[in-house]
Amino acid sequence: SARRQMDTRTAVSHRDDSHWTWRRTRRYVRPVCRRKTMYVDFEDLGWQSWIIAPEGYSAFYCDGDCIFPLGLNMNATNHAIVQLLLHTVKSQTMPKPCCSPTKLSAISVLYFDDNSNVILKKYRSMKVKACGCH
Amino acid sequence: DSTGFYTDNGLEQSVMVSRIPHRVKKEFQQEILTLMGLHHKPKPRAPGKETSAPRFMIDLYNKLHGSGASGSIEDDDEDEHPHFFSRTLENEMPKLNSSDVIMSFVNHVHKIHFLRHERDRTFFFDFGEVSPQETVTGAELRLYKAKDRRGRHTTYHIEVFTIQQGVDEQDKILVPETNHLVSSDFEGWILMNVTNAADSWTIMPASNMGLYLKITDMSTGQELRPNHIGIVGHRGDPDKQAFLVCFFKMSQQLHVRRTR
């Protein structure tokens, strides 16, 4: 909290230096770790000649910072808290926890093969159901 | 020019990833194909979605996903349902319970030289693209029988044999695979269990020499051609052509992707 207040004050006191302020402000407002949308469209890939269903799927991805306090972040692991403490002490050498998928799910795809046979297959770990700090 | 990839632009609104260079887009596509276990984009020859095998699979897909709204499928959590098709249609198709992959095979008997002249009695299903690491949990030969036009009430004995190599190269032997009794007035799909044959073809694709169908009138002992009792042959309706459905359980090792 003290660090964040300092950052805010610094950003305000250097408003004249637009480049520097932008960097500081951007760092401060970067969103916390969360799931974001990414859609893979099989039709737009031109794959409708062999993929029968689905037309596409929401793959999602994880993005954002794992910042203190980790309670702000979705699904922070216990180890992520320890990792962040270490990072706070040794920021130059210890990396921050990463924002990455914590829960994945499968999709089923119905498609033709080269012999015009039809395959209904499960593909695991294709969709992000939840993100968190690791 | 669409890319096929759409991402969140931070304003709770999806936008096309329009700045992906062509080369990178190709690499993305190749990565997704690799995730799907494919080396290249399949190029099916004139795939007719109205023929029997694709229609069966599309119906199955729609049943498994409720309304069939293909763009909004929510599949099972992986930890809760170790096998994919476990939650629905268990009464209808018990083999779904232990299956990860379902595959329908089109009859390619016309491609096999020694089977060509018996096209309605013989079947050849190409298992060349099935990985030997997949385990067959069940296989059904599906034959459509229309009403018997002869108008007699009788029972038919339907036998399916696997064709195997004899001692000489020219010799072929028939090994019983399964059999089924059907009434002359039956109309619909006849399911013949050919799990043993599919299992052999998966492990040893070279042993696949096709299937042979034999039909006997139980009241006279006379052998009949399939079309005589109403079984739809290669000249019949496309949506009633015979096909094979095979259920596979994938080896867990297949999910470990190799480092490239």
Side-chain angles (χ1 to χ4, degrees), chain A residues 32-35 70-76 102 129-133:
Chain A
V32 293
C33 174
R34 69 181 179 94
R35 191 178 78 155
L70 272 182
L72 287 175
N73 297 271
M74 296 161 68
N75 302 317
T102 52
K129 291 204 91 173
C131 298
C133 292

Side-chain angles (χ1 to χ4, degrees), chain A residues 34-42 44-58 60-61 103-127 129, chain B residues 2-8 12 14 29 32-33 35-36 38 40-45 47 49 54 57-58 61 64-65 70 73-78 81-82 84-85 100-106 108 126 129 250 255:
Chain A
R34 69 181 179 94
R35 191 178 78 155
K36 299 186 84 175
T37 304
M38 177 176 175
Y39 186 75
V40 179
D41 193 317
F42 293 140
D44 281 351
L45 286 173
W47 289 1
Q48 69 271 37
S49 62
W50 61 278
I51 291 189
I52 302 168
E55 291 166 4
Y57 74 102
S58 294
F60 298 111
Y61 67 103
K103 199 173 177 187
L104 296 158
S105 71
I107 60 165
S108 60
V109 182
L110 187 66
Y111 64 96
F112 284 106
D113 69 6
D114 286 326
N115 293 318
S116 301
N117 299 322
V118 181
I119 301 165
L120 177 57
K121 196 167 183 178
K122 170 189 186 174
Y123 292 98
R124 291 188 168 90
S125 308
M126 294 293 278
K127 295 173 68 168
K129 291 204 91 173
Chain B
S2 303
T3 65
F5 301 96
Y6 300 84
T7 61
D8 191 336
E12 301 301 327
S14 289
Q29 289 192 21
I32 291 178
L33 283 172
L35 287 179
M36 297 177 75
L38 301 168
H40 63 278
K41 279 192 284 184
K43 290 178 182 165
R45 274 153 296 197
K49 290 179 186 172
M57 296 298 284
I58 291 167
Y61 180 90
L64 283 165
H65 295 97
S70 55
I73 293 166
E74 281 293 334
D75 285 321
D76 293 333
D77 288 345
E78 292 178 4
H81 300 279
F84 186 41
F85 304 115
D100 293 316
V101 181
I102 303 170
M103 196 165 169
S104 71
F105 295 82
V106 179
H108 284 307
D126 193 339
E129 294 196 25
M250 285 173 72
H255 298 303

Side-chain angles (χ1 to χ4, degrees), chain A residues 1-60:
Chain A
S1 175
R3 186 184 174 134
R4 195 186 310 164
Q5 281 176 5
M6 188 182 73
D7 280 352
T8 312
R9 277 198 304 273
T10 313
V12 170
S13 63
H14 289 79
R15 275 191 188 282
D16 292 339
D17 184 345
S18 59
H19 178 68
W20 191 88
T21 307
W22 176 81
R23 283 178 60 195
R24 299 293 285 181
T25 308
R26 182 187 162 124
R27 183 181 164 202
Y28 176 63
V29 297
R30 185 170 156 79
V32 293
C33 174
R34 69 181 179 94
R35 191 178 78 155
K36 299 186 84 175
T37 304
M38 177 176 175
Y39 186 75
V40 179
D41 193 317
F42 293 140
E43 281 199 348
D44 281 351
L45 286 173
W47 289 1
Q48 69 271 37
S49 62
W50 61 278
I51 291 189
I52 302 168
E55 291 166 4
Y57 74 102
S58 294
F60 298 111

Side-chain angles (χ1 to χ4, degrees), chain B residues 164-174 209:
Chain B
Q164 295 185 9
Q165 183 63 55
V167 179
D168 293 329
E169 195 179 334
Q170 299 298 319
D171 287 346
K172 303 288 182 289
I173 54 174
L174 298 179
M209 305 190 86

Side-chain angles (χ1 to χ4, degrees), chain B residues 64-95:
Chain B
L64 283 165
H65 295 97
S67 64
S70 55
S72 61
I73 293 166
E74 281 293 334
D75 285 321
D76 293 333
D77 288 345
E78 292 178 4
D79 295 341
E80 292 170 19
H81 300 279
H83 293 295
F84 186 41
F85 304 115
S86 59
R87 66 189 161 155
T88 50
L89 303 177
E90 280 179 33
N91 296 330
E92 202 172 326
M93 302 184 83
K95 293 176 198 72

